[in-house]
């Protein structure tokens, strides 16, 4: 029996959340007195997981699984669960894992708890703390099935080094027994830029920006900080920014280290999606904007004056601090 | 085409969240319940299929009699028939099992649920339902076209979107993007009157595995006062030296 962790990779390289989930799995294994096995797909850097407490990697080497396929990935992970007799499966909370996790849960008749923010409260019974009510609360969820699936929130647990002797084994993908003919046709994705899902810093702007033509300074600010850009719902509804950038209760959740909200009022539905971020900064010309009540730092001022200044000063700051 | 839309009855998005009974239950006091926003996008897309391509649209909800006003609203928006599975929804796995019975008995070509409900955020009902009924599954769906048996869909991915092909029967986990926000419908008087006459059947639940249980709830620690910076320099200083985030 071991803890199985699914570590996501892209073009062979692990995503940042792979190291977080490996660290999480290692903490769970320690609580349970067992070891961690990872399953990865077509990775070229399996051994690096040894730095994060993984003692064995099952690398699915299969050209037909170069791109993510929820059904096929779930089938291979389910096989790995069986062959390692894993009782606990750890995943991230990325869009892809949220696609495959329910399929895996059904295959294994396993209880699944997504958006988990800390190491289990206990492993017997198995209880985890996860966000609920769109970040307005937390639930302590007990998983009662023999096999348990835990989806860890991005940025919640962090990556922790814990050097372990590791072996890497190559395996082939499992056939997806279910009739699943859903296929990827085309991927349209911004490359080389931080995404909202795993960025440390998110620069977000709202209707206060007045129009899409004013987003240049938002993007410039994000570039300097190595941040992802995001927006409030009306901004994406108006077509000023793509839907995928809308954060909040009905959009994407953000759990970054720093969230900068510019010209966003801080409606309850917006706050719900960003409250898991650690430090929140607000720039708004209305001192009564509700966002100031939820923020750590703020500047009361006109975004069209503050943001250009911030860009200039941050350039200097970066030049001095590397 | 026969479509089933799974509707979750959730607290209105402006609700303040409180817990009772020693923080073991969600406090429904003074809370307005609505159609889960992700499901509402799916329902509206189903109405589009009905009007443009011809389809019958049913809805199903797992819950006690208190969910019926939300179901009537979905009927007023234009769904043809409703099923309520008469048991309190406890966890996503068991809800999916209840809905799977309706799907198996109804012969649906397309089942639309929400990517997640905005209350318990389980995000598992459509996927588990697809597995239990051996249907294809597309999650976080932001665009859906059906031509005969062929499905072309887009789903959200981190940092972009992916185009997918599939075939019916299909389960979709939907969200904003399935239809434009401005196309969401508010029931009109005629719809409300007609909804009263539509069939809302109550089905008894089947035995289901309960996989998870929310034992206790708590709320995020309340925030201290915001620190307002007088200048951009001071803000950068606070972020660097105090918050240590840049
Ligand atoms: C069912 C439902 C779900 C929803 N889900 C979401 C969600 O997921 N995410 C979301 O964001 N919203 C959501 N909303 C919408 C939400 O209620 C608010 O309408 C929205 O968040 C407001 O966006 P905003 O702050 O950009 O715009 P506004 O409310 O228009 O606020 C603009 C802000 O910009 C400030 N401003 C204006 N000019 C300047 C300037 N020159 N410099 C600095 N500041 C300026 C103003 O003072 C104001 O505070 C939802 C609503 C509903 C009904």
């Amino acid at each position: 029996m071991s803890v199985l962790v699914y570590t996501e990779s892209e073009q062979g390289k692990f995503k940042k959340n792979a190291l977080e989930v490996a660290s999480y799995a290692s903490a769970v294994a320690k609580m349970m007195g067992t070891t961690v096995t990872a399953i990865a797909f077509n990775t070229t850097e399996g051994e690096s997981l040894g730095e994060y407490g993984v003692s064995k990697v099952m690398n699915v080497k299969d050209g037909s699984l170069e791109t993510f396929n929820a059904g096929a990935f779930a089938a291979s992970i389910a096989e790995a669960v069986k062959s390692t007799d894993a009782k606990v499966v750890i995943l991230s909370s990325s869009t892809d894992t949220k696609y495959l996790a329910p399929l895996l849960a059904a295959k294994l008749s396993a209880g699944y708890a997504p958006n988990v923010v800390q190491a289990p409260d206990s492993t017997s019974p198995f209880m985890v703390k996860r966000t609920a009510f769109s970040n307005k609360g937390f639930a302590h969820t007990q998983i009662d099935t023999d096999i348990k699936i835990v989806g860890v929130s991005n940025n919640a647990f962090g990556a922790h080094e814990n050097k372990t002797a590791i072996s890497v084994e190559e395996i082939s993908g499992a056939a997806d027994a279910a009739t699943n003919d859903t296929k990827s046709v085309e991927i349209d994705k911004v490359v080389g830029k931080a995404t909202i899902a795993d960025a440390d810093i998110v620069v977000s702007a709202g209707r206060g920006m007045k129009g899409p033509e004013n987003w240049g300074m938002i993007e410039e600010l994000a570039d300097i900080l190595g941040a992802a850009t995001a927006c409030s719902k009306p901004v994406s509804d108006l077509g000023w920014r793509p839907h995928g950038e809308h954060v909040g209760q009905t959009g994407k959740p953000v759990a970054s280290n720093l969230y900068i909200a510019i010209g966003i009022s801080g409606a309850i539905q917006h706050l719900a999606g960003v409250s898991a971020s650690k430090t929140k900064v607000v720039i708004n010309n209305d001192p009564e904007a509700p966002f100031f009540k939820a923020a750590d730092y703020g500047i009361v001022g006109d975004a069209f004056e503050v943001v250009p200044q911030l860009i200039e000063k941050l350039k200097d700051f970066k030049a001095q601090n590397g | 085409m026969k479509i089933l839309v799974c509707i979750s009855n959730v607290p209105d998005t402006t609700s303040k969240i409180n817990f009772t009974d020693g923080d073991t239950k969600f406090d429904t006091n003074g809370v307005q319940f609505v159609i889960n926003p992700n499901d509402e996008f799916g329902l509206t897309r189903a109405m589009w299929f009905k009007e443009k391509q011809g389809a019958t649209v049913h809805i199903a909800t797992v819950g006690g009699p208190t969910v019926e006003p939300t179901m009537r609203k979905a009927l007023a928006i234009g769904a043809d028939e409703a099923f309520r599975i008469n048991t309190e929804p406890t966890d996503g796995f068991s809800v999916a099992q209840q809905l799977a019975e309706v799907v198996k008995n109804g012969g649906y070509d397309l089942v639309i649920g929400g990517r997640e409900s905005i209350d318990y955020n389980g995000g598992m009902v459509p996927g588990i339902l697809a597995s239990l009924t051996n249907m294809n599954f597309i999650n976080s769906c932001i665009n859906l076209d059906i031509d005969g048996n062929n499905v072309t869909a887009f789903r959200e991915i981190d940092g972009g979107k992916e185009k997918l092909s599939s075939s019916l029967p299909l389960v979709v986990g939907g969200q904003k993007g399935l239809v434009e926000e401005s196309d969401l419908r508010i029931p009109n008087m005629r719809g409300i009157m007609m909804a009263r006459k539509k069939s809302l059947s109550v089905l008894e639940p089947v035995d289901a595995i309960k996989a998870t249980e929310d034992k206790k709830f708590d709320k995020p620690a309340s925030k201290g006062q915001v620190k307002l910076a007088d200048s951009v320099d001071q803000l950068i200083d606070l972020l660097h030296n105090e918050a240590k985030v840049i």
Side-chain angles (χ1 to χ4, degrees):
Chain A
M1 190 204 69
S2 77
V3 171
L4 187 81
V5 58
Y6 162 47
T7 45
E8 287 170 90
S9 55
E10 213 163 26
Q11 284 158 355
K13 305 246 178 297
F14 285 121
K15 292 192 189 171
K16 182 180 144 209
N17 66 27
L19 311 181
E20 291 183 43
V21 289
S23 305
Y24 189 94
S26 161
V28 175
K30 200 166 161 206
M31 289 173 81
M32 299 176 74
T34 180
T35 56
V36 182
T37 302
I39 176 164
F41 291 82
N42 298 305
T43 181
T44 52
E45 44 184 34
E47 254 127 43
S48 65
L49 293 177
E51 302 293 326
Y52 298 89
V54 174
S55 53
K56 183 178 161 191
V57 179
M58 298 166 84
N59 182 29
V60 180
K61 201 132 184 12
D62 188 332
S64 69
L65 299 177
E66 287 292 347
T67 45
F68 175 81
N69 178 303
F73 276 42
S76 292
I77 299 170
E79 281 296 310
V81 169
K82 286 181 190 138
S83 71
T84 57
D85 191 25
K87 294 292 180 232
V88 180
V89 184
I90 311 290
L91 318 158
S92 77
S93 287
S94 71
T95 312
D96 283 355
T97 49
K98 283 189 170 174
Y99 189 177
L100 73 78
L103 299 176
L104 186 63
K107 270 185 203 302
L108 301 169
S109 296
Y112 165 49
N115 311 316
V116 169
V117 292
Q118 61 185 37
D121 297 349
S122 67
T123 53
S124 175
F126 198 93
M127 181 125 81
V128 284
K129 179 176 177 177
R130 61 185 196 89
T131 57
F133 299 95
S134 309
N135 287 323
K136 290 189 242 176
F138 296 104
H140 295 262
T141 302
Q142 184 174 309
I143 310 181
D144 294 323
T145 45
D146 183 32
I147 300 172
K148 294 137 179 92
I149 305 178
V150 176
V152 182
S153 271
N154 284 349
N155 280 331
F157 190 76
H160 303 280
E161 287 192 23
N162 169 21
K163 204 167 171 55
T164 308
I166 187 164
S167 63
V168 178
E169 177 192 329
E170 290 195 346
I171 60 169
S172 47
D176 181 9
T179 47
N180 191 328
D181 68 356
T182 303
K183 288 186 188 64
S184 176
V185 178
E186 197 181 317
I187 290 176
D188 174 6
K189 188 171 161 170
V190 186
V191 280
K193 272 202 166 175
T195 66
I196 297 173
D198 48 28
D200 280 330
I201 303 180
V202 173
V203 175
S204 189
R207 201 147 54 177
M209 295 310 296
K210 313 277 192 281
E213 66 282 5
N214 296 325
W215 244 264
M217 62 179 181
I218 300 299
E219 288 185 324
E220 196 180 348
L221 179 59
D223 266 357
I224 293 168
L225 291 166
T229 53
C231 67
S232 66
K233 178 164 169 283
V235 163
S236 69
D237 290 346
L238 289 162
W240 297 357
R241 299 297 293 175
H243 281 308
E245 285 196 4
H246 148 214
V247 304
Q249 193 162 25
T250 52
K252 280 212 159 72
V254 179
S256 55
N257 283 325
L258 173 59
Y259 184 77
I260 305 181
I262 303 163
I264 300 178
S265 57
I268 190 165
Q269 298 97 343
H270 186 88
L271 294 180
V274 303
S275 62
S277 289
K278 298 203 175 81
T279 302
K280 293 181 268 301
V281 174
V282 171
I283 299 168
N284 198 305
N285 60 3
D286 174 8
E288 302 299 321
F291 218 139
F292 282 117
K293 293 208 173 62
D296 301 280
Y297 302 101
I299 289 192
V300 177
D302 188 336
F304 294 91
E305 288 165 20
V306 177
V307 175
Q309 275 184 41
L310 195 54
I311 290 171
E312 287 316 309
K313 303 263 173 173
L314 277 171
K315 275 186 191 157
D316 295 346
F317 172 83
K318 290 276 165 189
Q320 278 163 30
N321 294 274
Chain B
M1 184 161 59
K2 212 172 157 192
I3 307 176
L4 181 72
V5 183
C6 306
I7 301 276
S8 178
N9 177 56
V10 299
D12 164 46
T13 58
T14 58
S15 303
K16 294 263 186 317
I17 302 300
N18 289 304
F19 304 106
T20 58
D21 295 18
D23 287 340
T24 58
K25 285 203 176 65
F26 172 63
D27 184 1
T28 55
N29 228 322
V31 171
Q32 179 86 28
F33 280 82
V34 296
I35 300 175
N36 181 44
N38 289 317
D39 308 352
E40 202 178 347
F41 289 109
L43 176 64
T44 312
R45 190 67 193 164
M47 296 315 303
W48 185 94
F49 285 122
K50 178 175 163 171
E51 286 155 17
K52 299 282 195 296
Q53 296 184 195
T56 333
V57 178
H58 292 175
I59 62 157
T61 301
V62 177
T66 54
V67 306
E68 289 193 1
T70 297
M71 301 181 76
R72 288 280 173 212
K73 183 175 168 200
L75 289 170
I77 286 172
D80 301 298
E81 207 178 313
F83 298 98
R84 176 169 71 79
I85 300 117
N86 189 23
T87 180
E88 284 308 321
T90 46
D91 76 318
F93 209 118
S94 56
V95 167
Q97 289 171 84
Q98 301 302 344
L99 292 169
E101 285 304 304
V102 178
V103 173
K104 282 177 195 155
N105 296 330
Y108 295 97
D109 306 293
L110 175 66
V111 178
I112 311 181
R115 171 193 74 182
E116 68 176 3
S117 65
I118 62 161
D119 50 2
Y120 295 96
N121 306 107
M124 68 189 91
V125 170
I128 294 178
L129 175 60
S131 289
L132 296 177
T133 54
N134 275 324
M135 289 165 86
N136 291 322
F137 174 49
I138 295 176
N139 208 8
S140 301
C141 187
I142 50 172
N143 201 307
L144 180 65
D145 283 308
I146 295 170
D147 179 8
N149 199 40
N150 299 324
V151 175
T152 307
F154 284 83
R155 75 169 175 110
E156 191 171 285
I157 56 174
D158 292 333
K161 57 187 178 180
E162 179 180 27
K163 184 178 182 181
L164 300 161
S165 70
S166 190
S167 62
L168 300 179
L170 171 74
V171 179
V172 159
Q175 62 175 59
K176 183 184 152 191
L178 263 185
V179 294
E180 285 307 319
E181 179 83 12
S182 52
D183 290 336
L184 291 178
R185 297 167 189 206
I186 299 160
N188 57 23
M189 210 47 197
R190 185 160 168 270
I192 295 168
M193 298 304 285
M194 280 172 56
R196 290 199 189 140
K197 298 198 199 101
K198 288 179 181 169
S199 153
L200 195 165
S201 326
V202 179
L203 308 174
E204 284 315 310
V206 293
D207 285 339
I209 340 169
K210 194 163 135 211
T212 60
E213 201 176 339
D214 291 327
K215 287 285 192 189
K216 207 173 148 324
F217 297 97
D218 46 51
K219 291 210 275 183
S222 60
K223 271 235 139 297
Q225 275 263 327
V226 60
K227 267 195 193 169
L228 292 180
D230 294 326
S231 66
V232 166
D233 285 317
Q234 194 194 352
L235 180 67
I236 292 175
D237 181 60
L238 286 167
L239 295 180
H240 181 59
N241 292 314
E242 190 176 277
K244 301 193 188 322
V245 285
I246 58 169

